[in-house]
Amino acid sequence: VFISVAIFWIVVSLIPVYNKVVFSGVAGDAGFPYPLTTTCFQLGFCAFALTLGSVIKHSCGTGESSWIFGSGFKFKLKHTIKIGFLFGLKFGVTNWGLHV
């Protein structure tokens, strides 16, 4: 448990540093001046990768009976959309603040 928590803390700490480098540029490069686009790309990539992983796991027969496109999709969406929206908003504001 300690190792997974330590890895989580390290990754969570490195994401803002990586974003700041992207916004500031490296070796004289002007950088990428669109923090909200970066937020959309990062969250979109995570959603795509997790969905793809779920579909692959389910199609191989190793997945659980509950999966992303199962019968409880509306239930899952209802209970995760609020916190997902707030996390996306927080992430966007953080990236915008790093860009300023």
Side-chain angles (χ1 to χ4, degrees):
V1 172
F2 174 76
I3 293 172
S4 60
V5 170
I7 290 171
F8 173 76
W9 282 345
I10 290 169
V11 170
V12 166
S13 299
L14 288 178
I15 288 174
V17 173
Y18 167 77
N19 286 341
K20 184 64 176 174
V21 169
V22 168
F23 301 144
S24 300
V26 178
D29 186 24
F32 188 73
Y34 305 106
L36 299 181
T37 303
T38 304
T39 303
C40 288
F41 283 154
Q42 289 173 335
L43 294 177
F45 174 77
C46 287
F48 176 75
L50 290 172
T51 302
L52 183 65
S54 176
V55 168
I56 290 171
K57 187 175 179 183
H58 186 75
S59 66
C60 292
T62 59
E64 299 123 11
S65 60
S66 174
W67 71 303
I68 193 165
F69 297 117
S71 60
F73 181 71
K74 288 182 183 178
F75 176 81
K76 293 173 191 175
L77 188 62
K78 176 184 171 188
H79 291 286
T80 60
I81 196 163
K82 293 175 189 172
I83 193 67
F85 177 78
L86 291 174
F87 178 76
L89 184 66
K90 174 250 178 217
F91 198 47
V93 169
T94 300
N95 280 349
W96 194 7
L98 287 171
H99 177 63
V100 173

